[in-house]
Amino acid sequence: MRLSSLWLPILLALNVVLFGLALGWGSASFNPLGVIAGDAPQWQTAILYDLRLPRAVAAFVVGGMLALAGVLMQVLLRNPLAEPYVLGISGGAAVAALGAITLGLQAWWVSGSAFVGSLASMLLVFLLGGGRGYGRGDRLLLTGVVIAAGWGACISLLLVLGPDQSLRGMLFWLMGDLSRPVAPWWGLPVLALALLAAWMMAPALDLLARGDDQAAVLGVEIHRLRAVCYITASFLTACAVTLAGPIGFVGLVVPHLMRQWLGAGHRRLVPASLLAGGALLMLADTFARTLIAPRQLPVGVLTAAVGVPLFLYLLRRRGDS
């Protein structure tokens, strides 16, 4: 039996193993099952329920959101190198969140500002790059790149003007940070609803990936589908940035690997990418907080270490083809 036919149990088992690893492994390692059973010291209970469990859930939710957004972006732009941050959405979130950090606001203000900034950037790109037909992929891409460059200049200005005592926190957040005290539980129903919506759109996504003309002939409402893909992917990216800050390359690496393994059919690609994205970020975050414990690395550093070489490899392959 081919492994591709067992993709669901394999990915589910992988997530269970990595979730348990995230709960039990760290600078203070212990058996999480013993804590759940109530047969553990109080300090282990506090570490598990107050620190590691929310962080593991946040890693799974953010990884799943970014991977699912990456699948939708790659269909929308018909480009396997597309990923959620290519349209400048994270830049708007970063500017808003860094502004809140500069003002010394509390963590929930930072997260709320990031969400508002993401949606504002999404609306800006959508209006400027959409046009009457909700935007061709190349027009959206170019608009996003230009707006992202503008957000980058604003980020540099905020870093220069920000207070010295906040500079480390600002830089850490810009590289992806899952250690902030933000409750991740609301992300689970959001992720489930997005998965259901993308899975229901899977047949139309298969047709859209083959070209607008073929999809239109077969009855797909191109403009509406593009709008739904863009809004869904942008909203997922905004939620992910709200929970963890900008984390790159998950939306690039995971859909590509799943497409190589399972093919281009979105009935399998959508849920597989979500599960694989959650597993990847849980693994990356576990290493980020244990490699140089008790100090921690931003999780975005590790995802970039994997994503940059793969991005260059894919870029070279596209150039040779």
Side-chain angles (χ1 to χ4, degrees):
M1 183 180 295
R2 295 178 59 186
L3 288 178
S4 59
S5 62
L6 300 174
W7 64 271
L8 183 57
I10 289 175
L11 289 175
L12 287 175
L14 179 63
N15 274 274
V16 170
V17 170
L18 292 176
F19 191 76
L21 184 67
L23 295 182
W25 189 29
S27 55
S29 298
F30 52 83
N31 182 6
L33 295 179
V35 178
I36 295 173
D39 185 22
Q42 184 63 33
W43 65 269
Q44 292 184 4
T45 303
I47 290 177
L48 178 66
Y49 289 113
D50 296 340
L51 298 177
R52 292 186 184 174
L53 180 59
R55 186 160 178 166
V57 172
F60 174 79
V61 168
V62 171
M65 286 179 173
L66 293 177
L68 184 53
V71 172
L72 296 176
M73 286 291 185
Q74 289 172 12
V75 175
L76 178 67
L77 302 179
R78 285 205 294 276
N79 187 337
L81 300 181
E83 65 130 359
Y85 298 111
V86 74
L87 296 182
I89 300 167
S90 65
V95 170
L98 292 182
I101 295 174
T102 301
L103 296 175
L105 301 180
Q106 297 179 353
W108 67 272
W109 272 104
V110 176
S111 299
S113 299
F115 185 73
V116 173
S118 297
L119 295 184
S121 184
M122 174 193 77
L123 182 62
L124 183 62
V125 175
F126 188 74
L127 292 177
L128 295 179
R132 294 179 58 188
Y134 294 109
R136 294 175 58 86
D138 51 357
R139 184 174 176 180
L140 278 174
L141 179 62
L142 181 59
T143 304
V145 168
V146 172
I147 290 179
W151 291 135
C154 295
I155 290 171
S156 299
L157 180 62
L158 286 172
L159 291 175
V160 170
L161 298 179
D164 293 341
Q165 63 270 22
S166 301
L167 189 59
R168 176 177 173 82
M170 296 167 74
L171 291 175
F172 213 85
W173 188 88
L174 282 173
M175 292 183 283
D177 182 15
L178 284 164
S179 64
R180 293 180 300 121
V182 178
W185 312 109
W186 59 268
L188 291 171
V190 170
L191 184 60
L193 290 174
L195 171 62
L196 178 62
W199 192 80
M200 292 178 63
M201 291 190 299
L205 294 177
D206 291 339
L207 296 175
L208 183 63
R210 299 178 183 177
D212 289 357
D213 294 338
Q214 184 173 352
V217 168
L218 294 175
V220 177
E221 297 187 27
I222 301 297
H223 300 328
R224 178 181 297 178
L225 181 61
R226 284 187 173 276
V228 172
C229 286
Y230 177 68
I231 293 172
T232 303
S234 300
F235 183 75
L236 287 172
T237 304
C239 293
V241 172
T242 299
L243 284 170
I247 299 176
F249 295 103
V250 175
L252 168 68
V253 172
V254 173
H256 173 75
L257 294 179
M258 292 300 101
R259 194 175 287 108
Q260 293 294 314
W261 181 28
L262 302 175
H266 287 83
R267 283 290 191 189
R268 293 197 295 180
L269 183 61
V270 164
S273 295
L274 185 153
L275 291 173
L280 174 63
L281 203 58
M282 281 195 295
L283 180 62
D285 184 58
T286 301
F287 278 112
R289 61 181 176 78
T290 55
L291 283 178
I292 57 172
R295 300 183 64 185
Q296 299 186 21
L297 292 172
V299 67
V301 171
L302 296 185
T303 60
V306 175
V308 168
L310 181 59
F311 181 87
L312 294 175
Y313 170 72
L314 293 176
L315 191 61
R316 181 169 181 176
R317 279 188 58 183
R318 284 178 61 84
D320 293 339
S321 60

